[in-house]
Amino acid sequence: MARSGLAGAARVARWADAALGPGRRGATADGKATLSDATAERAARDLGLTAAQVRADWDTARLAGLVEVHGDSARPGWRLRAWDRDDSAVLRGWVALFDAWSLAYPEPEGHEPAAVAEVVSAMPQVLSFLQLSAGPVPVEQLLDLLGQRVTELRTERCEVAYGPRPEPARPEPTAPADADAPLAPLLDWALRALASVGALTYGDGQATLTPLGNWAVWVKLEQICVAAQSPAGNIEQAAEDMLRGCAQLRPNAARAEYRAWLAARPVGSAVTELLAAARGDDALLRGLAFEALRVVGAPAEPDVRAVLDEPTLRPYALLWLAEHDGVDPEDAHEVLTREEATWLWVDTAAAVADHGEAPMLVRHLESAVQPTVPALLDEVRAVGHPRTVQVLVALAAAHPDPALAKAVRRAAFQVHTGGS
């Protein structure tokens, strides 16, 4: 259903990718992502549509994240790149459109912006009621619910009149109807807008969520529940503090915490925060940040791919991308070069040295790709990790074999003094 509803938008986005990319003639007339008349006419001719259809599909493509406009050029969003192979990209594109329903359909004229904003803020409760009703709901019932929610919003803002109070006038019998009157056309607009994006059907005085709309509202309710049940209470923390709080949790509990933390914030800013934490000095947080990014999944792909040029993050990013592409986690290390695998071994050893116990560091030797300790020490010295000396000193102190510990200490001294 999502693919069908966004098929026109995807077609226009692919046309824009071919016709309006960098180095080609401008896409827009005003620098605000509005197609110029000439461009709309050209697309209409190429695609066998009217200019009005092209403009409508273009707007949908932008709202769904299928196309991004930068200045006077357009480029495809990551969702369009993943469109044919990733169903989750299609669903996320539709959810982005669903979230932007108030922009997808022109609002009625003659209403105060504050009243429109109140209705937009109140609609999630109306949609939740539709989802729980699991069938058609009369518009009169939705109007009553909308009125209650708007009243609650005004009360939460403490909209109380100050100053001398006039003598109260005798209440008119028609007051409730007058209070509801301004909301009726705005509810009609909201339901039409939600119908236009495929979230519900609206007609004959009633509204019903489509299967897609029902799924989207259910997912959002589930996210609210997940966020409310943050097991370790780190949901309001910044990424670095959240990851630090998860360091002592078992893997399943940590993943539950990541899900709760992610559910409470926009995915884009969450990914940015996690990568910023991964760039820090604490190697343990680096590993945990990429574990949290595994919970994010496909939406993190462009940002993870963008850090491949950063030596500190590259091995983690390569493993993440391999697993995202379907490589078995047990085999994912095969995408790393010998040098990248050695760098990752040192980084992981630094995390163990900082946060683990001595036996863990000794066991970490077994995970090295080198067949012997002398070979490992040679390649560790060559890889240039900033924590090499500290890792080797900690390993020498922890290892029970005196001869091996002496060799590791010698290697640490050589790295420290720049010797070979």
Side-chain angles (χ1 to χ4, degrees), residues 1 94 198-201 208-217:
M1 188 175 178
W94 184 84
L200 52 80
T201 57
T208 311
L209 285 180
T210 63
L212 195 56
N214 186 74
W215 166 81
V217 176

Side-chain angles (χ1 to χ4, degrees), residues 344-396:
L344 183 61
W345 184 90
V346 179
D347 205 51
T348 309
V352 175
D354 290 343
H355 301 278
E357 299 175 354
M360 290 178 62
L361 192 56
V362 174
R363 287 197 299 273
H364 187 57
L365 271 175
E366 299 172 6
S367 67
V369 295
Q370 291 77 8
T372 66
V373 171
L376 170 65
L377 295 177
D378 286 343
E379 294 185 36
V380 163
R381 284 200 297 263
V383 83
H385 193 290
R387 295 290 305 280
T388 299
V389 173
Q390 293 95 320
V391 164
L392 293 178
V393 168
L395 181 59

Side-chain angles (χ1 to χ4, degrees), residues 247-263:
Q248 302 303 318
L249 298 179
R250 292 181 179 275
N252 284 344
R255 279 191 288 272
E257 193 72 1
Y258 302 149
R259 279 193 294 270
W261 187 85
L262 291 164

Side-chain angles (χ1 to χ4, degrees), residues 1-26:
M1 188 175 178
R3 282 188 186 279
S4 173
L6 292 173
R11 181 170 54 168
V12 166
R14 287 198 173 97
W15 177 88
D17 181 25
L20 306 177
R24 299 177 178 88
R25 295 179 65 89

Side-chain angles (χ1 to χ4, degrees), residues 72-85:
D72 63 352
S73 67
R75 71 183 185 199
W78 73 265
R79 290 180 183 128
L80 186 66
R81 292 292 191 219
W83 196 256
D84 293 329
R85 62 179 170 82

Side-chain angles (χ1 to χ4, degrees), residues 1 18 24 35 53 70 121 152 160 197 214 220 281 283 303 331-332 360 381 399 405:
M1 188 175 178
R24 299 177 178 88
L35 282 180
Q53 287 173 317
H70 300 268
S121 298
E152 289 172 1
V160 179
V197 301
N214 186 74
K220 289 180 183 297
D281 295 330
D303 297 275
D331 302 325
M360 290 178 62
R381 284 200 297 263
H399 207 285

